[in-house]
C-alpha cells in the first residue's frame, strides 16, 4: 500500500528528481523572459507539464490539447461550461439537414502574417478528415468541407446535431498553409492564438512568444516557457522550489507537501467505475449485481486511497458536468440477492497508480458482502482485450465521461450500447439502447441534457456499472500567477489574460 502523502518526508524528492530540476527553467527563451514587457502586465509564464509531445505537437494527435492549453492554436468554436458551442474563429452558424454553414471571423491573421480565410479553414478540416488515422473526434464520421464565399459548409454523411461541438476539438485547430508543407503537420508559427509557438526542443521544452496582432487583443504576458517533466515528484517540486509558475497534474501523493494556497483541485469529467459482466458469470444475475452495489463503500475509497481528493459518485456523470445533478432523479434497481460465497474475479490495471489500491479495497468490501474475490492486475496494454472480451466478472476503470465533443452521449453509447465499441459490461438491454438512441438524436441544449440523464438512469437501473468516484485534476499555481485557467476538460491553461506579477 502507498504511504499516505501526509507521512511522506520532503526527502521523498529523490536524487534523480533533483537532477531533473537542475536548471529546469534556467535558460531564457526570449529577450523578454527576465521581466516585464511593453504592452503586457507581467513576466513570462513558466509551465511544468506532465506528458511530453508524442507526435511532434501535430494537432491531429493528442498533442493538440497542449496547443489549446498554450493558447496558440484555435478552433472554429469553443464550449461553455455546459458543453454548448460558442463562437471562436467562426462567428455564427446554421444547420440545413446534413450541412452546417459557418461564417468565418474577419480580421484574423495567422502567426506567419497570412490571413484566415474560408479556404484556409477548408484546408485544415479536410486534412483532418482525410488523415490516417483520423482524429478520434471524427472516428466514424463522414465529413466534407467546402468554401462558400466568406463561409464554410460542413456536410456529414448522416444528420449530426453535434457538428459544432465536434469542431471545438483541439484536434481540428485551424492552421496556416505552412503547417502542412512537410510530411507531418507542424504548428510552429502557424496558429492564430495570443501566443505564437516559436520553438520546440523535442520532448524537453517549448517556447511561445506573445503575438501582438492577435484578433482578441494583446496578451498580458510576453510569453510562455514550457518544460516537460514526466516525473510527478519532480514536477511538484518545481513549484516548491520556485522553478515553475504553473504545474499541471500534481500527484495526489505530492499535493499535501505543497502550500495549500498554491493548490487547486478541479473536478474532472472522469469517473472511477466498477463494470459488472452482465453477459456471463455470477453478475449475469441482477440480484448479485445489486449485492455488489450495496456492499461497496465508495466514501472509504475516496478517504483512504484518494486521501479525500475525489468526489463520491452519485451517478456516472460527476460535478464536472454541473447540470447533471440538477436533472438526476431516483433510479429503481433490483433487490439484493445472497452471494453465498460465489467467486468473482476483478480486473484492473497498474497504469493509474490508485487503481490497484482501489481493487484491494474492493476485494475486502465484497468479501464482507459474501463474495469470494480474486484480483487480476496488469498493465493496461496487456489487459484491455480481455476486459472487452468479457473475461472478467468485474473490471475497475477510470473512464472519461465526455469525449472530444464535450458531450457524454458518445461515452454512454460506447460503454453501454449493445453495439458499443467499449462495452466491458457486455450489456445488451433494449431500454438502455432506446434511451441512448434518443439522447444521440436530440438537438443540443436542455433537451439533449435531459435525454442524456434519462440514458444514464437506464444504465444505472441495470447495475451494469457501479460508479464509485469522480476524479479531480490537481494544479499548482505560484503566488504571483494571475488569471490562470482551471479547466475540467483540460483544454485551457494559459490564456491572453494570464500573467505573472
Amino acid at each position: 500500500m502507498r504511504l499516505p502523502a501526509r507521512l511522506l518526508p520532503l526527502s521523498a524528492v529523490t536524487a534523480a528528481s533533483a537532477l531533473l530540476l537542475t536548471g529546469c527553467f534556467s535558460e531564457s527563451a526570449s529577450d523578454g523572459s527576465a521581466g516585464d514587457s511593453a504592452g503586457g502586465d507581467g513576466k513570462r509564464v513558466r509551465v511544468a507539464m506532465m506528458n511530453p509531445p508524442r507526435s511532434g505537437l501535430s494537432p491531429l494527435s493528442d498533442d493538440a490539447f497542449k496547443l489549446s492549453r498554450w493558447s496558440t492554436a484555435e478552433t472554429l468554436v469553443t464550449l461553455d461550461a455546459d458543453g454548448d458551442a460558442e463562437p471562436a474563429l467562426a462567428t455564427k452558424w446554421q444547420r440545413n439537414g446534413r450541412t452546417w454553414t459557418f461564417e468565418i471571423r474577419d480580421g484574423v491573421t495567422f502567426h506567419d502574417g497570412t490571413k484566415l480565410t474560408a479556404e484556409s479553414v477548408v484546408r485544415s478540416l479536410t486534412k483532418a478528415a482525410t488523415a490516417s488515422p483520423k482524429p478520434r473526434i471524427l472516428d466514424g464520421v463522414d465529413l466534407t468541407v467546402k468554401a462558400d464565399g466568406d463561409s464554410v459548409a460542413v456536410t456529414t454523411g448522416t444528420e449530426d446535431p453535434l457538428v459544432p461541438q465536434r469542431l471545438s476539438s483541439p484536434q481540428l485547430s485551424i492552421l496556416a498553409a505552412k503547417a502542412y508543407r512537410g510530411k507531418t503537420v507542424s504548428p510552429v508559427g502557424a496558429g492564430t492564438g495570443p501566443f505564437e509557438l516559436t520553438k520546440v526542443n523535442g520532448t524537453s521544452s517549448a517556447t511561445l512568444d506573445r503575438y501582438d496582432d492577435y484578433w482578441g487583443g494583446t496578451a498580458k504576458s510576453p510569453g510562455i516557457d514550457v518544460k516537460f517533466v514526466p516525473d510527478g515528484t519532480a514536477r511538484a517540486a518545481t513549484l516548491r522550489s520556485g522553478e515553475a509558475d504553473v504545474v499541471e497534474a500534481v500527484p495526489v501523493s505530492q499535493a499535501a507537501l505543497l502550500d495549500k494556497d498554491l493548490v487547486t483541485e478541479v473536478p474532472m469529467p472522469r469517473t472511477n467505475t466498477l463494470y459488472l459482466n452482465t453477459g456471463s458469470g455470477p453478475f449475469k444475475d441482477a440480484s448479485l449485481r445489486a449485492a455488489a452495489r450495496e456492499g461497496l463503500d465508495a466514501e472509504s475509497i475516496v478517504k483512504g486511497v484518494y486521501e479525500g481528493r475525489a468526489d463520491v459518485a452519485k451517478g456516472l456523470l460527476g460535478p464536472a458536468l454541473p447540470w447533471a445533478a440538477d436533472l438526476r432523479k431516483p433510479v429503481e434497481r433490483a433487490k439484493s440477492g445472497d452471494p453465498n460465497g460465489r467467486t468473482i474475479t476483478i480486473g484492473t490495471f497498474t497504469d493509474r497508480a490508485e487503481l490497484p489500491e482501489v481493487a484491494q479495497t474492493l476485494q475486502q468490501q465484497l468479501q464482507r458482502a459474501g463474495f469470494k474475490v480474486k484480483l487480476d492486475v496488469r498493465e493496461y496494454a496487456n489487459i484491455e482485450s480481455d476486459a472487452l472480451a468479457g473475461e472478467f466478472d468485474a473490471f475497475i476503470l477510470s473512464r472519461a465521461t465526455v469525449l472530444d465533443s464535450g458531450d457524454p452521449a458518445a461515452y454512454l453509447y460506447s460503454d453501454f450500447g449493445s453495439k458499443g465499441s467499449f462495452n466491458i459490461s457486455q450489456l445488451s438491454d433494449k431500454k438502455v439502447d432506446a434511451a441512448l438512441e434518443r439522447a444521440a438524436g436530440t438537438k443540443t441544449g436542455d433537451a439533449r441534457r435531459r435525454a442524456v440523464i434519462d440514458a444514464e438512469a437506464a444504465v444505472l437501473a441495470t447495475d451494469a456499472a457501479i460508479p464509485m468516484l469522480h476524479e479531480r485534476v490537481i494544479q499548482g499555481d505560484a503566488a504571483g500567477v494571475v488569471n490562470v485557467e482551471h479547466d475540467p476538460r483540460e483544454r485551457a491553461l494559459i490564456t491572453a489574460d494570464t500573467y505573472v506579477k
Side-chain angles (χ1 to χ4, degrees):
M1 295 288 286
R2 173 168 49 82
L3 190 66
R6 63 182 179 276
L7 300 180
L8 286 172
L10 290 178
S11 60
V13 181
T14 63
S17 298
L19 287 173
L20 285 171
L21 295 175
T22 304
C24 190
F25 289 89
S26 61
E27 294 185 7
S28 174
S30 75
D31 293 339
S33 63
D36 293 353
S37 177
D41 290 347
K43 307 173 193 175
R44 296 176 66 86
V45 185
R46 300 166 301 167
V47 182
M49 301 194 76
M50 178 172 64
N51 292 321
R54 297 176 180 176
S55 303
L57 290 176
S58 168
L60 303 182
S61 71
D62 281 348
D63 288 350
F65 290 84
K66 294 179 176 59
L67 305 178
S68 176
R69 285 169 73 74
W70 301 336
S71 293
T72 188
E74 298 177 308
T75 52
L76 291 184
V77 300
T78 59
L79 299 179
D80 66 13
D82 288 333
D84 293 329
E86 293 187 326
L89 294 182
T91 55
K92 58 183 179 181
W93 48 89
Q94 61 182 4
R95 176 184 178 183
N96 182 11
R98 295 185 295 111
T99 298
W100 291 77
T101 302
F102 294 82
E103 187 172 309
I104 305 306
R105 186 178 296 276
D106 189 30
V108 178
T109 57
F110 291 106
H111 295 153
D112 64 354
T114 58
K115 184 179 178 181
L116 173 72
T117 63
E119 287 74 18
S120 55
V121 172
V122 170
R123 178 177 53 245
S124 290
L125 294 183
T126 301
K127 288 287 186 181
T130 57
S132 181
K134 287 183 180 180
R136 62 174 178 252
I137 190 64
L138 297 180
D139 188 24
V141 177
D142 179 14
L143 182 144
T144 57
V145 192
K146 293 183 179 180
D148 183 9
D150 294 331
S151 300
V152 170
V154 178
T155 302
T156 52
T158 59
E159 291 194 15
D160 185 354
L162 279 185
V163 166
Q165 279 79 359
R166 292 188 192 280
L167 296 183
S168 76
S169 170
Q171 293 183 323
L172 300 184
S173 297
I174 309 302
L175 300 180
K178 65 175 290 186
Y180 306 99
R181 289 173 183 164
K183 292 183 179 179
T184 59
V185 183
S186 171
V188 176
T192 58
F195 296 101
E196 177 185 356
L197 181 62
T198 58
K199 188 176 181 181
V200 181
N201 295 312
T203 59
S204 61
S205 65
T207 302
L208 300 96
D209 294 331
R210 179 170 54 215
Y211 182 62
D212 291 331
D213 292 328
Y214 177 55
W215 62 269
T218 305
K220 293 182 178 180
S221 171
I224 309 169
D225 298 321
V226 180
K227 292 288 184 180
F228 302 107
V229 188
D231 182 272
T233 300
R235 195 166 58 255
T238 63
L239 189 66
R240 275 199 302 272
S241 66
E243 295 266 341
D245 303 306
V246 178
V247 177
E248 70 166 10
V250 176
V252 167
S253 62
Q254 294 297 307
L257 302 178
L258 300 173
D259 184 334
K260 65 179 181 179
D261 293 333
L262 306 184
V263 175
T264 302
E265 298 180 33
V266 181
M268 294 181 71
R270 178 176 287 278
T271 302
N272 191 314
T273 302
L274 179 65
Y275 289 74
L276 302 182
N277 188 341
T278 65
S280 62
F283 290 130
K284 189 173 182 178
D285 183 340
S287 71
L288 293 188
R289 299 200 296 270
R293 168 174 45 80
E294 292 184 3
L296 189 151
D297 181 3
E299 186 172 355
S300 68
I301 295 174
V302 168
K303 290 180 179 179
V305 179
Y306 286 82
E307 300 172 12
R309 299 181 187 274
D311 298 291
V312 175
K314 303 299 183 183
L316 293 166
L317 308 179
L321 300 174
W323 50 266
D326 294 335
L327 296 176
R328 189 173 288 127
K329 299 177 182 178
V331 177
E332 291 188 10
R333 295 179 168 96
K335 293 182 179 180
S336 175
D338 184 1
N340 197 28
R342 297 288 295 275
T343 299
I344 60 172
T345 300
I346 301 177
T348 195
F349 49 98
T350 58
D351 303 54
R352 287 186 173 270
E354 294 83 8
L355 294 189
E357 292 188 53
V358 172
Q360 292 173 9
T361 304
L362 276 180
Q363 182 181 40
Q364 297 168 6
Q365 291 181 357
L366 294 181
Q367 284 174 341
R368 287 195 294 268
F371 294 95
K372 292 181 180 179
V373 184
K374 298 179 180 179
L375 300 182
D376 188 342
V377 182
R378 314 175 212 161
E379 290 184 359
Y380 186 76
N382 298 325
I383 204 170
E384 181 191 53
S385 60
D386 285 347
L388 292 173
E391 296 295 324
F392 300 102
D393 299 307
F395 195 80
I396 304 168
L397 184 69
S398 174
R399 179 72 163 143
T401 57
V402 294
L403 304 181
D404 291 350
S405 65
D407 181 80
Y411 142 74
L412 290 171
Y413 181 86
S414 173
D415 285 29
F416 306 109
S418 58
K419 297 182 179 178
S421 61
F422 208 76
N423 190 352
I424 289 177
S425 293
Q426 312 298 309
L427 184 63
S428 181
D429 185 283
K430 291 182 179 179
K431 291 183 179 179
V432 170
D433 284 345
L436 292 173
E437 290 293 335
R438 285 194 295 272
T442 303
K443 67 178 182 179
T444 57
D446 289 340
R448 187 179 182 91
R449 285 189 277 273
R450 287 192 295 270
V452 164
I453 289 299
D454 288 344
E456 180 201 56
V459 172
L460 293 176
T462 69
D463 280 326
I466 305 173
M468 295 183 288
L469 59 94
H470 306 294
E471 297 183 12
R472 303 173 189 168
V473 61
I474 305 174
Q475 182 173 311
D477 306 321
V481 177
V482 180
N483 295 331
V484 66
E485 285 290 321
H486 301 99
D487 179 17
R489 296 190 187 98
E490 297 184 285
R491 292 186 176 192
L493 183 65
I494 309 301
T495 72
D497 291 328
T498 307
Y499 65 96
V500 179
K501 294 179 181 178

